[in-house]
Amino acid sequence: MRVVQLLTAAAAAFATAATLAAPAVAQADQGRPIQVRRDHSDVRVPFLVKRAGEAVVDLNAAAPGTDWAVKGGESAVVSVYVDNRYATDLVVSGDQRLPRQLALGSVRQGPHVLRLRFAGDRSAAVSTSVLLDRVKVTTYAPGSAEYLALRYAPIVYGRNLSELGTPYQNATTDTPLIAWHEVGPGSAPGRTKLTYSVVWSNEDGGTNTPALMARWGRTTDIEWVYAVEVDERGNRVAGSDTYQAANHQTLQFAGTYEGDHAQLETCTNNNNMCDKVTDPMRFFLSALQTRPAAEAREYMMDTNSWTYQIMSKEMIREGKIEAASGTTPATPEVSDQRNYLYAVLKKTTDRANTGSSWVGVSLGVRLKSGATVYLSNHVEPTWSIQRDDPAATTVELPPGTTADDIQEITANRVVVGTDNGAVVHVTGIKRGFFLGQDYLPQPSFLTWNGDVTVDAGTPSAVIWRR
């Protein structure tokens, strides 16, 4: 049995001192990567908790010989235990070490062991090991905002739909990548509402891939999964918790809890939840991150840039990328995702904009090399941007296009159904970037603030020009 010492003697002695308000942190030797190997004993990592609370583990992870873009070689999986309690699975892909943060649940004061097991039954046959470094366990004690967010974060079990593969299918498709929480007012004075969301690497059902790129600016799936209200003392308000069920219904949670953590399961091909758990894979992603109110949900991907790489590789492996040619920008099918401008648009519509008839906006890009305007919606009205929140979209451009090739960007009013006469004020572009050769976002080169109006009389306007 391999044991990796997490705390130095000095740190252990310090941990026995007076209780501190700050989070308790234990960190492994950064110069000694941990290797979790197939058909070998579990790796045990001791850590000491100075103050009881909710724990998370930060680490970098790589799985040599795997590649999310290669069928049959997608990933290796490490099952993580705290002492003998199963906490979470970690799906790892590729040689490059990627930063991950996982929840460990409630831990008492005192010594513990982080146990790491190579899960051969849910790993690609070609995978032999997972390398971990910069392992750090942090505990948040009651009374902190972090503790409250972690205390009620849900545990999401995997998906085992028979038509989509084995019970371990989230090791190869639609894998949960990151989670976060948002805080808002509850339904009565003194209450606070916590809402938890997850980013999956893709969705095997639901919105088709070209529409995802046009309407949402990515091919990942982003969904809220669970919400709960707490009182002024931070205790759950009985009967207040809900989850996003099949067909995007909001249902009252009637399942089981592990401590204060609701247990849910991904049970549709577009990653909606059930409150009955049967799947063997378990994902307890840290929900410490939060989304600023003025940002699109894709902001969470931007701040975890490796998610774009996993997103793109899944499209390649699933054969959803059209063959390269000189005409790819003119077809709606998704081409190499490095061909797209990834932008976030700010706009407001002057009236209710729902139902079968509505007015949306597409972004248009004209290059220095010609008069063609490339549209985000590929001339499909229903792929336009309907929502008024900061909204992500993409514009497909000829292969090899760079930021310097762009001459101007336009906002274009698009009518779906009957024109309701809505006037749209376009007020900003928050970011614009391309993916690099490694499918990671390059630095944003595009921001703009103003107020440009598009209406029935002026349906198109330039909002940015070089």
Side-chain angles (χ1 to χ4, degrees), residues 359-376:
V359 171
V361 168
S362 68
L363 279 188
V365 173
R366 186 174 67 81
L367 305 180
K368 295 176 180 177
S369 58
T372 300
V373 176
Y374 300 93
L375 296 173
S376 60

Side-chain angles (χ1 to χ4, degrees), residues 216-284:
W216 301 100
R218 31 84 183 176
T219 55
T220 57
D221 188 23
I222 303 179
E223 305 284 355
W224 77 272
V225 295
Y226 176 73
V228 63
E229 292 191 12
V230 298
D231 62 23
E232 62 275 5
R233 291 177 293 181
N235 294 320
R236 178 188 290 107
V237 176
S240 70
D241 44 352
T242 58
Y243 68 100
Q244 185 173 190
N247 300 314
H248 302 287
Q249 298 178 87
T250 298
L251 298 183
Q252 185 170 348
F253 180 76
T256 59
Y257 301 92
E258 183 177 291
D260 286 311
H261 303 286
Q263 298 186 96
L264 295 163
E265 181 169 312
T266 311
C267 60
T268 71
N269 61 8
N270 62 334
N271 303 317
N272 289 163
M273 297 288 107
C274 293
D275 60 358
K276 301 295 184 288
V277 172
T278 61
D279 192 77
M281 291 195 78
R282 171 175 161 126
F283 298 92
F284 200 2

